[in-house]
Amino acid sequence: MKRRVPVFGGIGIALLLLATVTFAQLPYRVHLPLVMRAGQNPLMSGEATFYLEADGSGACLFDPIPGDRMVAAISYLNYGNADYCGAYVEVFGPQGSVVVRIVDECPDNPGCGLNHLDLSPEAFDRIAPRAWGRVPITWRVISPPLTDPVQFHLKDGSNPWWLAFQVRHHRNPIAKLEYRTPQGQWVQLNRTPYNYFIRECQCAGGERGPFVLRVTDIYGNTLTETVQFTTLSSGGLSPGELVSGSGQFPYGP
């Protein structure tokens, strides 16, 4: 996904330049770089509605999580190539705020403009009465306090020659997924609009793992995990399988 960077005013721009400090007792100048990092991600402005079918499934192809209805669909103008899938965003409305996970795409229609979020009814209740239907909001990407490690899902229909990996339960939005070949080379996998990363192998015997995968979040943090799926065989297609990793991303802004 494209990283959004906060825009600073004239004072901020000046602070981002190299600072020159002159010491009277020294015949030379010392140049000190000033490093600045935003304390929070930028706020986006849009509108919110709600849809009754919100259950955690949708265009991102996540499974519904019973009891977790704090989910949302993001505008097709923001969705990109599944860029926001699995991201957590904090939404501020007229009467409160709520944290939701992006699981779906709000379709191309006049009612779903840029930065629009279509919330579950339960999430909408946290920011406004349902009777209002549509309300102005602001929202930003956040890093939630997840305690469990990331997960990897092997898509149903995968086989040793066509593998589709999905990253789940990640604290920060995913920027890319790489695969280490048996020859030790890192290959970046292509992401699909349905939020899986594809590995195709033209090798004679296919690939059954274990698979070494490197995940990078939008802040540049990486996790390298060795994953073994037990449902891969030369005799048929995998019904799908979920495997836990061992690590989790650090907190972002």
Side-chain angles (χ1 to χ4, degrees):
M1 65 180 288
K2 294 183 178 179
R3 177 93 181 269
R4 292 180 174 84
V5 181
V7 178
F8 298 97
I11 295 176
I13 294 173
L15 289 174
L16 290 174
L17 300 175
L18 292 180
T20 301
V21 180
T22 303
F23 295 92
Q25 69 273 30
L26 298 177
Y28 54 84
R29 291 179 176 180
V30 179
H31 298 274
L32 301 176
L34 294 182
V35 179
M36 294 184 64
R37 183 174 181 181
Q40 293 179 309
N41 283 314
L43 277 173
M44 316 302 290
S45 297
E47 292 184 315
T49 49
F50 64 89
Y51 66 116
L52 299 176
E53 300 84 2
D55 63 358
S57 62
C60 297
L61 290 193
F62 294 130
D63 295 329
I65 301 177
D68 179 11
R69 294 266 295 177
M70 293 300 145
V71 295
I74 196 168
S75 169
Y76 71 98
L77 296 171
N78 299 89
Y79 185 83
N81 195 35
D83 299 334
Y84 279 93
C85 284
Y88 289 83
V89 300
E90 187 173 17
V91 185
F92 303 92
Q95 294 190 354
S97 64
V98 65
V99 173
V100 295
R101 180 170 54 96
I102 302 300
V103 299
D104 204 355
E105 178 181 16
C106 191
D108 179 0
N109 63 55
C112 192
L114 184 65
N115 300 332
H116 187 102
L117 295 179
D118 203 13
L119 308 175
S120 68
E122 292 85 349
F124 193 90
D125 289 343
R126 301 284 184 91
I127 64 169
R130 291 191 200 182
W132 291 7
R134 177 183 297 269
V135 295
I137 58 168
T138 56
W139 57 267
R140 62 162 54 98
V141 173
I142 65 165
S143 297
L146 302 181
T147 56
D148 296 327
V150 297
Q151 299 174 331
F152 298 90
H153 188 262
L154 182 68
K155 192 179 184 305
D156 60 291
S158 293
N159 59 72
W161 297 271
W162 185 87
L163 299 157
F165 304 110
Q166 183 186 73
V167 188
R168 296 184 178 181
H169 197 67
H170 43 89
R171 177 174 281 140
N172 303 323
I174 302 301
K176 64 180 178 179
L177 179 65
E178 297 169 283
Y179 169 91
R180 193 170 72 187
T181 67
Q183 294 74 36
Q185 297 175 320
W186 286 106
V187 177
Q188 183 171 337
L189 302 183
N190 291 326
R191 191 176 200 170
T192 66
Y194 53 91
N195 194 35
Y196 276 85
F197 296 84
I198 306 302
R199 163 69 177 172
E200 293 185 86
C201 176
Q202 305 300 324
C203 42
E207 297 171 322
R208 294 177 178 82
F211 304 101
V212 181
L213 303 175
R214 183 166 65 189
V215 195
T216 304
D217 70 12
I218 61 170
Y219 309 115
N221 302 305
T222 61
L223 293 173
T224 301
E225 301 277 2
T226 300
V227 182
Q228 180 65 68
F229 298 102
T230 62
T231 57
L232 283 174
S233 69
S234 58
L237 305 179
S238 170
E241 185 177 354
L242 184 65
V243 174
S244 291
S246 60
Q248 183 58 262
F249 289 114
Y251 290 95

